[in-house]
Amino acid sequence: RLVTVNIDESQQKAQRFLQRFAPTLAAHADGLADPATDAARDHAVRSMPSAYLIDTDGTALWIHHGYRPGDLNEVLARIEAALGPNDTTGATLSE
């Protein structure tokens, strides 16, 4: 299962971003809003934007800070690797 957490106040803005830049990810992820930033505080997020890949036990498998062109490809590849053979969606996240 893949869950995205958005700390912005606008969940719609985050969903539009995913639909534009990673539509397959948007289609297969459950989006959660966290405007109180509890998740960011729990994982000591130090900069925005940040991407944290966290397993079901709450362990951070991979952390990425900032954004440069091409970073989204690495994020998607890391997600696919983490989902591994247990991914039942059959989706390829890379666009």
Side-chain angles (χ1 to χ4, degrees):
R1 180 172 178 211
L2 182 61
V3 177
T4 62
V5 178
N6 175 37
I7 64 170
D8 291 325
E9 294 201 16
S10 173
Q11 184 66 14
Q12 291 173 335
K13 184 177 177 183
Q15 190 62 28
R16 281 194 307 266
F17 175 86
L18 282 178
Q19 287 171 343
R20 179 174 177 197
F21 294 104
T24 305
L25 175 61
H28 294 284
D30 296 324
L32 302 176
D34 184 19
T37 69
D38 293 330
R41 192 170 30 263
D42 290 348
H43 293 283
V45 173
R46 65 176 197 240
S47 64
M48 292 301 293
S50 291
Y52 283 64
L53 186 55
I54 301 168
D55 69 11
T56 57
D57 295 323
T59 302
L61 302 174
W62 179 72
I63 300 170
H64 181 76
H65 298 286
Y67 178 79
R68 290 174 307 280
D71 283 354
L72 185 57
N73 293 330
E74 183 179 4
V75 171
L76 295 175
R78 296 283 184 148
I79 292 169
E80 281 186 333
L83 289 173
N86 295 326
D87 176 23
T88 59
T89 65
T92 298
L93 301 177
S94 302
E95 306 303 330

